[in-house]
């Protein structure tokens, strides 16, 4: 028991923590009792004044006695009011001191928590970390640019084949339009190295066919002769 009280311990710390609360509780109980007494004295004074008024003309002795009692109650009321004021001031002082103590304790715990969070972290270490992050971001950006601007995949496209394919598609579109209008399709003509049509144009081909037919008719007429 002696060792516990000497070194404090958890029990002593808890008692010190609860001491302000107990003091405030005791003061409030006493304050409540004094306030009730104050109310009672005020009622007694009012009653004695009423008795004095009733007997001031008929029984002066009783009226005088009532006024003396009223004065005694008034003196007690003054003392009670002073005690109430003193208790209220003490309660306020203890509450303020207790709040200050709790606030300082909370700030102390917050400071310890911040130290635990930061640990061995220093400004130099933060600068190193931020510099490392900057380097990694720069590296990631370079890698992304290298991937985006890398060499194209697949074999190179033959431009001549593309031109031939374009010519074929144009001929198919032309045939479809002529079929829709009831005109015979024009056979596809070979294209040159740059997609230019070679040989006869449709109008020229028709003219040549007419000339050949005319020559055949002339030959037939000569043979008949």
């Amino acid at each position: 028991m002696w060792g516990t009280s000497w070194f404090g311990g958890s029990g002593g710390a808890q008692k010190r923590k609860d001491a302000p609360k107990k003091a405030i509780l005791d003061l409030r109980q006493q304050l409540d009792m004094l306030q009730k007494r104050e109310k009672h004295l005020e009622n007694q004074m009012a009653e004695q004044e009423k008795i004095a008024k009733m007997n001031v003309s008929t029984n002066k002795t009783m009226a005088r006695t009532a006024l003396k009692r009223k004065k005694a109650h008034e003196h007690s009321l003054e003392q009670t009011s002073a005690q109430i004021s003193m208790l209220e001031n003490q309660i306020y002082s203890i509450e303020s001191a207790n709040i200050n103590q709790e606030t300082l304790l909370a700030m102390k715990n917050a400071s310890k928590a911040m130290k635990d969070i930061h640990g061995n972290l220093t400004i130099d270490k933060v600068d190193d970390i931020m510099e490392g992050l900057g380097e990694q971001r720069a590296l990631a950006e370079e890698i992304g640019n290298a991937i985006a601007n890398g060499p194209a995949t697949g074999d190179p496209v033959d431009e001549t084949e593309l031109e031939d394919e374009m010519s074929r598609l144009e001929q198919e579109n032309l045939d479809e339009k002529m079929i829709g209008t009831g005109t015979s399709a024009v056979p596809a003509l070979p294209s040159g190295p740059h997609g230019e049509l070679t040989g006869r144009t449709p109008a020229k081909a028709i003219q040549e066919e007419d000339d050949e037919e005319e020559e055949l008719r002339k030959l037939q007429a000569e043979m008949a002769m």
Side-chain angles (χ1 to χ4, degrees):
M1 182 68 181
W2 179 83
T4 304
S5 61
W6 179 263
F7 292 103
S10 59
Q14 186 64 34
K15 287 182 180 180
R16 288 193 298 273
K17 183 178 180 180
D18 294 338
K21 297 179 181 178
K22 185 178 184 304
I24 292 174
L25 180 61
D26 293 342
L27 289 172
R28 288 193 180 280
Q29 290 176 350
Q30 185 66 20
L31 180 63
D32 183 63
M33 186 272 293
L34 290 174
Q35 288 173 341
K36 290 179 180 179
R37 176 176 171 78
E38 183 182 41
K39 186 67 175 177
H40 173 71
L41 291 171
E42 289 174 350
N43 291 335
Q44 289 296 317
M45 289 173 59
E47 183 179 354
Q48 294 303 318
E49 185 176 0
K50 182 179 180 182
I51 293 172
K53 286 182 179 181
M54 290 175 60
N55 294 278
V56 68
S57 300
T58 59
N59 192 341
K60 293 186 180 294
T61 302
M62 184 174 290
R64 187 181 296 276
T65 302
L67 289 176
K68 287 181 179 180
R69 289 173 182 170
K70 178 187 175 184
K71 289 294 184 180
H73 293 323
E74 185 176 359
H75 180 68
S76 296
L77 180 61
E78 291 176 355
Q79 291 179 341
T80 302
S81 298
Q83 291 174 356
I84 289 174
S85 178
M86 182 179 61
L87 289 180
E88 288 176 344
N89 289 332
Q90 288 180 348
I91 291 173
Y92 175 77
S93 298
I94 294 174
E95 286 179 342
S96 298
N98 190 46
I99 290 173
N100 291 337
Q101 181 182 5
E102 295 295 333
T103 302
L104 290 174
L105 180 60
M107 294 174 65
K108 179 181 178 181
N109 293 334
S111 177
K112 182 178 181 301
M114 292 182 66
K115 289 180 180 179
D116 293 340
I117 292 172
H118 290 153
N120 296 325
L121 195 61
T122 62
I123 297 298
D124 293 336
K125 290 183 179 180
V126 172
D127 291 339
D128 292 341
I129 292 173
M130 296 306 296
E131 183 178 356
L133 289 174
E135 292 176 355
Q136 293 302 317
R137 283 196 297 267
L139 178 60
E141 186 174 357
E142 291 178 1
I143 293 174
N145 292 335
I147 293 174
N149 300 325
T153 58
D155 297 332
V157 179
D158 189 349
E159 294 295 333
T160 302
E161 292 181 1
L162 286 179
E163 293 295 337
D164 292 342
E165 187 70 16
M166 290 290 294
S167 299
R168 183 183 63 78
L169 294 175
E170 290 176 356
Q171 184 64 40
E172 289 180 358
N173 289 336
L174 180 61
D175 292 345
E176 290 176 359
K177 290 180 181 179
M178 299 182 78
I179 291 173
T181 57
T183 308
S184 299
V186 179
L189 297 175
S191 59
H194 298 291
E196 298 177 355
L197 295 177
T198 60
R200 298 174 298 173
T201 62
K204 185 176 181 181
I206 294 171
Q207 181 64 39
E208 290 180 355
E209 290 178 357
D210 293 340
D211 293 342
E212 291 177 355
E213 291 179 358
E214 182 65 26
E215 291 180 0
L216 287 173
R217 284 195 293 272
K218 290 181 179 179
L219 290 173
Q220 289 175 354
E222 291 177 357
M223 291 177 64
M225 295 174 61

